[in-house]
Amino acid sequence: MSTDKKTAVITGASRGIGLATAKKLASKGIDIAVVYIGSQEEADNAKKEIEAFGVRAEMYYCDVSDFEQSKACVEKIMEDFGGIDILVNNAGITRDKLLLKMDEADFDAVINVNLKGTFNMIKHTCRQFMKKRSGRIVNISSVTGLMGNAGQVNYSASKAGVIGITKTVAKELASRNVTVNAVAPGFIMTDMTNVLSDSVKEQFTKSIPMGRGGTPDEVANVIAFLCSDEASYITGEVIRIDGGLAM
Ligand code: NAP
């Protein structure tokens, strides 16, 4: 990648792992386009936190599971920033239930955001990465995509699918100097895991060799490395960030 000013698009970056990643990349002087779908207030606060690093931050309301909305969003970001250098597909949801109780809507919602959303954003950004002959794509998978997890058939399937997308697109774009990698976080302390009961949290913690959950910053550090010039010869890789959980 060139040493010119860069722009990163991060989906779901008004909180959690996405916001930590936005701040980490901003600390390296990278401008940030945040894709969000939740509260405007949260998005406004995130914008201020990112801008505090002296970079440009713009917020784009978009449902990544919607093909046309994602297309329009990427086009607007291209128009505003003049190009995209980094795409981090972080947006994700859970609708946990055991298979017997899970209905079709729970399955479809999670697949549509986590898996199709990743496809949509890559589909709409890849042409300009290929033209520029440079780019970084990092997809957020999960250890559940590697090892499965009772109560998460929809989520595990979506995250395993993200690994499939990662490896396939890595092969398709490698000759254009575009790297595509995934991270597979374990139990990370964000809103997503905060909703779990204390007993489930305790159970998780017990099964982690390092004996604790991870922080959003610990995930953001690895994503930032994969987005950096130092990671120029890594593609199609999946890096676990899980304190040894899926070892
Ligand atoms: P989080 O705090 O719940 O954040 C999820 C983000 O996704 C939010 O910013 C949300 O946007 C965004 N989002 C959800 N649906 C969207 C949609 N349709 N379009 C656009 N954005 C959407 O969760 P997190 O823990 O930071 O998770 C971030 C990623 O890491 C997810 O892909 C998750 O599956 C993955 N992950 C998390 C863990 C963990 O233990 N926390 C472990 C493994 C993998 P708004 O803020 O605008 O609502």
Side-chain angles (χ1 to χ4, degrees), residues 15 91-94 114 155 188-196:
R15 59 197 166 101
I93 59 168
T94 51
N114 300 6
Y155 186 78
I188 310 299
M189 294 172 291
T190 66
D191 293 346
M192 187 175 271
T193 47
N194 207 21
V195 295
L196 299 171

Side-chain angles (χ1 to χ4, degrees), residues 83-96:
I84 298 168
D85 303 282
I86 294 164
L87 169 65
V88 180
N89 282 305
N90 167 78
I93 59 168
T94 51
R95 294 275 188 281
D96 297 354

Side-chain angles (χ1 to χ4, degrees), residues 157-173:
S158 73
K159 294 302 187 177
V162 164
I163 293 173
I165 289 183
T166 301
K167 294 188 176 192
T168 300
V169 182
K171 285 183 176 172
E172 291 189 14
L173 301 190

Side-chain angles (χ1 to χ4, degrees), residues 216-229:
D217 283 341
E218 287 175 314
V219 180
N221 289 339
V222 180
I223 297 171
F225 166 68
L226 291 170
C227 293
S228 72
D229 290 343

Side-chain angles (χ1 to χ4, degrees), residues 22-223:
K23 284 160 60 178
K24 186 76 193 175
L25 294 181
S27 76
K28 296 176 181 304
I30 296 170
D31 288 335
I32 308 291
V34 169
V35 177
Y36 74 101
I37 198 171
S39 96
Q40 188 58 48
E41 193 188 338
E42 220 163 32
D44 292 342
N45 289 339
K47 179 174 162 70
K48 280 186 208 138
E49 285 187 48
I50 299 165
E51 284 174 341
F53 290 92
V55 299
R56 181 175 177 195
E58 303 294 346
M59 317 305 279
Y60 299 86
Y61 185 91
C62 166
D63 179 353
V64 296
S65 70
D66 185 302
F67 188 83
E68 291 304 328
Q69 263 190 54
S70 308
K71 184 166 187 266
C73 175
V74 168
E75 283 169 2
K76 181 78 176 91
I77 294 170
M78 291 284 294
E79 194 185 307
D80 292 349
F81 286 87
I84 298 168
D85 303 282
I86 294 164
L87 169 65
V88 180
N89 282 305
N90 167 78
I93 59 168
T94 51
R95 294 275 188 281
D96 297 354
K97 272 175 203 154
L98 291 172
L99 175 63
L100 283 177
K101 289 194 171 164
M102 187 172 291
D103 59 29
E104 190 184 0
D106 294 323
F107 189 82
D108 288 349
V110 171
I111 295 291
N112 283 340
V113 175
N114 300 6
L115 184 60
K116 191 176 170 211
T118 299
F119 166 77
N120 287 344
M121 293 301 291
I122 294 176
K123 168 81 183 159
H124 300 312
T125 48
C126 72
R127 202 176 294 277
Q128 63 104 35
F129 283 146
M130 291 168 84
K131 263 195 205 152
K132 281 206 290 196
R133 294 191 164 269
S134 105
R136 295 275 188 273
I137 300 173
V138 180
N139 300 320
I140 316 306
S141 178
S142 164
V143 290
T144 63
L146 297 168
M147 59 195 281
N149 194 28
Q152 291 197 308
V153 67
N154 49 2
Y155 186 78
S156 304
S158 73
K159 294 302 187 177
V162 164
I163 293 173
I165 289 183
T166 301
K167 294 188 176 192
T168 300
V169 182
K171 285 183 176 172
E172 291 189 14
L173 301 190
S175 66
R176 307 295 177 106
N177 196 35
V178 180
T179 68
V180 189
N181 292 290
V183 295
F187 183 79
I188 310 299
M189 294 172 291
T190 66
D191 293 346
M192 187 175 271
T193 47
N194 207 21
V195 295
L196 299 171
S197 69
D198 285 347
S199 69
V200 171
K201 283 185 201 161
E202 205 182 303
Q203 235 178 309
F204 259 118
T205 311
K206 272 191 191 151
S207 59
I208 300 168
M210 288 186 76
R212 65 170 179 87
T215 66
D217 283 341
E218 287 175 314
V219 180
N221 289 339
V222 180
I223 297 171

